[in-house]
Amino acid sequence: MTNTKKVAVVAIGGNSLIKDKQHQSVEDQYEAAKETTYHIADMIEAGWDVAIGHGNGPQVGFILRRSEIANKAEGMHEVPLDVCGADSQGAIGYALQQTLQNWLFQRKINKNVATVITQVLVDREDPAFKNPTKPIGSFMDEAEAKRRERDMNWSVVEDAGRGWRRVVASPQPKEVVELDTVKALINAGVIVITVGGGGIPVIDAGNGDYAGVAAVIDKDFASSLLARQINADLFLISTAVEKVALNYGKPDEKWLDRLTLAEAKQYLAEGKHFAKGSMAPKIQAIIWYLENGGKQALITNPENIGRALKGETGTWIVNE
Ligand code: ADP
Ligand code: MG
């Protein structure tokens, strides 16, 4: 990389778009995005160049639901899952891109912001495809579930009394397809929004072509891959907590300021500290980053990004 500035990958969590169940509209999401990009603008003002990754779980859920309702009511064609991912990257990217650009204009920082619709290659032989576990879309009755299983090749499971649901695989990200584009933009000083929702999962169709697959990639894993592939100076995971805790939610909970890579691995292996599906994948994503040449990683919430970068809060995980 020829960029002489320090580059950070910032993975932003669901709380940067949806604050609570009462604030889920597009306008509410825009306001939430605007709050988070204010803090990212602080970072940029302090001299960082940034590649932003983000989640999209609820947003893909909304797109799918609209698609299902329109299909049932009017016979409108449905939107495939990979395309829902692309749609969400566009809409979320738009909110982040516009709000961040506005903050930069206001601060007279002459930088451009761009969203890259990003595909992430997964291995078609990934064991996750043999055991899909990630529930997607609305509940169905058994007849519909069985019909879709037969006609559309869906995997469906019954969810204890609540009905049937589609499940998809969550494979490991192998390569960011648009990596060279992202690097070129960063080298040109552009702030990039990429790997949204973990990226649109694609496989090698066998003849070298890419083909979208119905799967979901963990956004922290995809952001970690990006941070490794661009040799980021910092991997920052912005989420709903200021710090990471040991024995989270238990009477002997202990908030952490600093962890070494070895300590992070040990605590993750102990299994009881970091909840599966929320904090555990973040710690794993950071471990992979640090094991592959990364120097430092940080977990905090959007409002504390500035203070954390000055060393005043957040949980730092360092390679030493
Ligand atoms: P995101 O959308 O940012 O990925 P998640 O809900 O998946 O958010 O993960 C962040 C959440 O993980 C926190 O809000 C917190 O409730 C939970 N969590 C689980 N274990 C821990 C821990 N050990 N320390 C801090 N937070 C934890
Ligand atoms: Mg999460």
Side-chain angles (χ1 to χ4, degrees):
M1 303 275 285
T2 52
N3 192 325
T4 52
K5 285 198 171 184
K6 288 186 296 178
V7 179
V9 168
V10 179
I12 61 180
N15 67 319
S16 287
L17 292 166
I18 296 176
K19 297 253 169 202
D20 53 61
K21 286 263 182 233
Q22 281 68 50
H23 297 90
Q24 303 202 90
S25 71
V26 172
E27 291 77 10
D28 288 331
Q29 292 187 51
Y30 184 88
E31 286 308 313
K34 190 171 166 184
E35 260 185 66
T36 288
T37 53
Y38 178 87
H39 302 292
I40 296 177
D42 279 349
M43 234 180 128
I44 295 166
E45 195 166 14
W48 287 92
D49 269 337
V50 178
I52 302 170
H54 61 81
N56 71 349
Q59 291 76 17
V60 163
F62 300 149
I63 297 169
L64 271 179
R65 181 120 182 81
R66 282 199 192 90
S67 163
E68 290 164 3
I69 292 169
N71 177 257
K72 285 210 168 75
E74 299 273 351
M76 187 70 196
H77 61 264
E78 292 193 337
V79 185
L81 190 58
D82 57 331
V83 179
C84 293
D87 286 356
S88 77
Q89 285 187 350
I92 296 170
Y94 167 57
L96 294 170
Q97 182 173 318
Q98 186 180 82
T99 56
L100 182 55
Q101 189 82 72
N102 286 342
W103 290 126
L104 296 177
F105 279 144
Q106 284 185 24
R107 295 170 191 220
K108 306 206 162 34
I109 299 170
N110 186 18
K111 269 188 165 300
N112 294 305
V113 187
T115 301
V116 176
I117 298 298
T118 309
Q119 307 168 79
V120 169
L121 185 69
V122 300
D123 186 348
R124 60 198 299 175
E125 303 300 331
D126 192 299
F129 285 111
K130 302 225 160 50
N131 179 30
T133 54
K134 191 103 185 134
I136 276 301
S138 307
F139 285 96
M140 302 164 275
D141 60 29
E142 183 170 0
E144 184 182 349
K146 293 290 176 194
R147 178 180 62 77
R148 288 183 179 273
E149 188 175 42
R150 188 185 62 235
D151 298 346
M152 301 169 76
N153 216 6
W154 283 15
S155 299
V156 292
V157 293
E158 193 183 11
D159 185 329
R162 293 200 294 168
W164 289 74
R165 225 162 160 209
R166 184 184 188 188
V167 283
V168 298
S170 188
Q172 290 298 319
K174 291 287 176 199
E175 256 173 54
V176 176
V177 174
E178 287 75 15
L179 182 66
D180 288 344
T181 305
V182 170
K183 279 185 181 172
L185 287 168
I186 294 171
N187 276 333
V190 177
I191 305 299
V192 195
I193 298 152
T194 178
V195 294
I200 304 161
V202 296
I203 52 166
D204 178 339
N207 58 355
D209 285 353
Y210 294 117
V213 281
V216 173
I217 302 172
D218 183 283
K219 72 122 187 354
D220 295 310
F221 291 176
S223 299
S224 166
L225 175 67
L226 176 73
R228 280 173 266 153
Q229 293 199 314
I230 67 171
N231 292 317
D233 301 284
L234 169 69
F235 179 27
L236 195 173
I237 299 184
S238 167
T239 185
V241 282
E242 182 174 342
K243 293 184 187 186
V244 179
L246 293 183
N247 301 307
Y248 180 68
K250 302 193 184 103
D252 53 349
E253 176 178 77
K254 181 170 174 263
W255 297 100
L256 300 166
D257 296 323
R258 190 174 176 281
L259 278 176
T260 64
L261 169 59
E263 286 166 339
K265 288 168 81 167
Q266 183 203 319
Y267 293 136
L268 181 64
E270 284 175 20
K272 60 176 182 169
H273 301 291
F274 314 128
K276 296 224 169 19
S278 60
M279 190 52 71
K282 296 183 197 308
I283 302 294
Q284 180 62 70
I286 285 173
I287 289 170
W288 283 330
Y289 166 70
L290 295 176
E291 281 180 340
N292 289 277
K295 286 159 229 108
Q296 46 175 356
L298 171 63
I299 297 179
T300 193
N301 51 10
E303 51 270 43
N304 283 296
I305 288 175
R307 288 183 54 228
L309 287 173
K310 288 187 216 147
E312 293 169 12
T313 188
T315 301
W316 283 92
I317 302 149
V318 295
N319 206 343
E320 58 152 50

